[in-house]
Amino acid sequence: MIFQSKMQLDDHVLLYQILQLSKQGGSLKDQDTRTRLLQLSEQLTASLRAPEDVANEIAYFPMYAFAVRIAVDLKLFELINASNPCIGATELSVASGGSEDLITRILRVVSALKFVDEVGENQWASNGVTQVMCWPEAQAAHIHKWTNCNGTMVKMPQYLKQTDYQTPTDPSNGPFQYAFNTDKSAFKYWNERPEIIHNFNVFMKGKRASRSSWAEWWPVENLLQPSDLDDESVLVVDVGGGRGHDIEGFRNKFPNKGKLVLEDQATVIADIQELHADIERVGHDFFTPQPIKGARIYFFGMIFHDWSDEFCLKILEQTVPAMKKGYSKTLIDDAVLPVEGCPAILGGLDLAMMAMHAGKERTERQWQDMLHQAGLKINKFWPYSTSGTGIIEAELI
């Protein structure tokens, strides 16, 4: 009885906090408030469910991802989104080539996940998530994660058992290599397969999801003041920047403020179809010496979580000598894990990086320790809202 009363009290507290937040005028438009409401609602949902149901449902999560993956292959999201006002299983079968029975069973799960709206028996309509799932970047994310991440995860119990449950740290000898029977790192393996690396680059273009570009909210203006920053100075080097989605966003926000350089593997640079002419393209392997010396900003967007500390330090060994003391900054756009109450999505991302790359997400202390070893001091952690990601600002010690 004491335990039951405590649970009821906790539920009441959660409900009260939700009601107080929802009563704040116009607060639902504020991202911090929306995030907090989501956190509270998830806690309330969990507290209302029987523990046995919570424990059981998690085993079905791979099936949820599978249903969305097949919906992508059959182009069900595009077909439903194009319908007015809805579309049925028979029409979807004719248009997609999939059997009516399979489509019905797939969309039974997809609609329960609110990726589409079920509006009648075997009838579906589009919603906001449906529209997002029509984006190439969103589809590429599901293809990449199902094939490469889940394809590794399914073998990880065996791999960890064979390695006595030790954390993998070698990107060329870890769970991915075990799962795909290769001695090459995931990136080298993908680069040899044009379809996979093309899909990965499309996925990375939309990696921020609903997050704004760092240039939209981080105080870049503070680095645009020095008199020695002129039109010929290199303002930003986007290291390992893929097809240039981050530096393109920076250029749109701050045009004509200094030279902008995009670096990535030569094969990635050669594959770029669209990039503003103001942005210089440089083929560069970040495990080799940084060719751009004395830039104002060396930007790493979601790079270091792909690597263990050993390999992150090797990357930084090539970057730090190029920096100018008291002038150059290293800006790292990455996750910063809380030491308590870590959101499942960030913890899951950490495990995904461990699986595919023997990489990891890091806490503030882990970031500080690693960057200090590289000869850098952290000036400030700049969180992006309450998402667990943000900018880590560092400079030479």
Side-chain angles (χ1 to χ4, degrees):
M1 291 297 293
I2 294 175
F3 178 75
Q4 184 179 11
S5 297
K6 184 179 186 303
M7 289 300 295
Q8 290 172 346
L9 179 63
D10 288 347
D11 292 346
H12 290 152
V13 170
L14 287 169
L15 281 169
Y16 176 77
Q17 291 178 350
I18 291 171
L19 287 171
Q20 288 300 109
L21 279 172
S22 63
K23 286 179 181 178
Q24 296 176 13
S27 64
L28 292 183
K29 295 181 180 179
D30 177 72
Q31 185 58 48
D32 288 344
T33 301
R34 290 168 64 89
T35 300
R36 181 57 182 152
L37 279 170
L38 283 169
Q39 292 171 342
L40 290 170
S41 66
E42 288 169 358
Q43 291 178 44
L44 181 61
T45 299
S47 71
L48 292 174
R49 299 185 64 198
E52 297 88 346
D53 293 337
V54 175
N56 184 59
E57 185 180 2
I58 192 105
Y60 291 90
F61 277 27
M63 281 67 109
Y64 301 165
F66 163 78
V68 175
R69 178 69 180 82
I70 300 305
V72 168
D73 280 352
L74 291 174
K75 299 190 181 303
L76 299 184
F77 295 112
E78 291 95 323
L79 292 168
I80 294 171
N81 192 51
S83 66
N84 186 19
C86 61
I87 190 170
T90 301
E91 296 94 327
L92 287 172
S93 176
V94 171
S96 70
S99 75
E100 190 172 331
D101 178 70
L102 176 65
I103 288 169
T104 300
R105 295 166 75 177
I106 290 296
L107 289 179
R108 188 176 290 144
V109 176
V110 172
S111 61
L113 295 170
K114 309 305 180 187
F115 274 53
V116 299
D117 288 338
E118 185 180 46
V119 295
E121 184 178 354
N122 295 341
Q123 295 284 322
W124 300 275
S126 177
N127 61 29
V129 181
T130 315
Q131 294 169 21
V132 170
M133 285 304 303
C134 293
W135 299 352
E137 299 90 341
Q139 296 187 1
H142 281 268
I143 293 169
H144 174 73
K145 291 171 184 175
W146 179 265
T147 302
N148 297 295
C149 184
N150 292 348
T152 303
M153 282 290 186
V154 73
K155 294 284 190 177
M156 279 196 73
Q158 297 166 265
Y159 168 83
L160 289 173
K161 185 176 182 179
Q162 290 188 16
T163 58
D164 294 325
Y165 298 95
Q166 301 302 300
T167 300
T169 60
D170 186 344
S172 298
N173 185 22
F176 181 89
Q177 290 69 36
Y178 180 84
F180 287 90
N181 192 29
T182 180
D183 59 359
K184 296 176 180 177
S185 71
F187 287 116
K188 288 183 178 178
Y189 182 89
W190 299 339
N191 272 315
E192 293 177 352
R193 292 158 175 79
E195 183 179 352
I196 293 178
I197 196 61
H198 172 75
N199 182 79
F200 175 76
N201 286 326
V202 173
F203 159 47
M204 292 305 291
K205 186 178 179 181
K207 66 183 179 181
R208 286 193 301 268
S210 64
R211 292 189 301 127
S212 301
S213 166
W214 67 280
E216 294 290 334
W217 61 271
W218 193 79
V220 176
E221 294 88 347
N222 294 346
L223 301 184
L224 303 179
Q225 304 303 320
S227 59
D228 55 346
L229 182 64
D230 55 38
D231 291 340
E232 296 303 312
S233 299
V234 176
L235 175 57
V236 180
V237 180
D238 187 353
V239 185
R243 292 180 175 176
H245 34 275
D246 279 315
I247 202 158
E248 186 93 68
F250 183 94
R251 186 261 163 205
N252 292 339
K253 180 72 173 178
F254 300 101
N256 305 316
K257 295 295 185 181
K259 286 186 176 181
L260 305 178
V261 178
L262 170 67
E263 294 179 342
D264 210 303
Q265 297 282 350
T267 53
V268 176
I269 294 295
D271 191 47
I272 296 173
Q273 303 299 317
E274 297 180 9
L275 189 68
H276 198 280
D278 287 352
I279 301 170
E280 181 182 350
R281 310 177 191 189
V282 175
H284 173 59
D285 179 348
F286 50 49
F287 286 109
T288 62
Q290 171 57 246
I292 309 298
K293 311 298 183 183
R296 188 70 164 123
I297 299 170
Y298 293 91
F299 177 77
F300 293 84
M302 305 299 283
I303 297 295
F304 291 115
H305 74 164
D306 290 331
W307 307 94
S308 62
D309 287 358
E310 175 187 353
F311 287 86
C312 288
L313 289 170
K314 289 180 179 180
I315 295 170
L316 290 168
E317 283 173 6
Q318 307 303 328
T319 306
V320 167
M323 297 175 66
K324 181 179 177 182
K325 189 172 179 64
Y327 175 78
S328 298
K329 305 283 187 183
T330 292
L331 298 185
I332 299 169
D333 185 354
D334 222 314
V336 180
L337 300 182
V339 292
E340 294 183 2
C342 181
I345 190 169
L346 291 181
L349 181 60
D350 177 48
L351 295 181
M353 294 303 101
M354 177 173 66
M356 291 187 289
H357 307 296
K360 65 189 294 185
E361 306 296 343
R362 294 170 173 86
T363 65
E364 283 193 9
R365 173 55 62 188
Q366 289 171 326
W367 279 115
Q368 289 168 341
D369 290 346
M370 185 182 76
L371 292 180
H372 183 79
Q373 289 182 60
L376 296 171
K377 62 180 180 180
I378 294 177
N379 293 336
K380 187 173 181 179
F381 289 94
W382 299 82
Y384 175 80
S385 184
T386 52
S387 68
T389 61
I391 295 292
I392 303 163
E393 177 192 344
E395 63 178 291
L396 294 175
I397 294 174

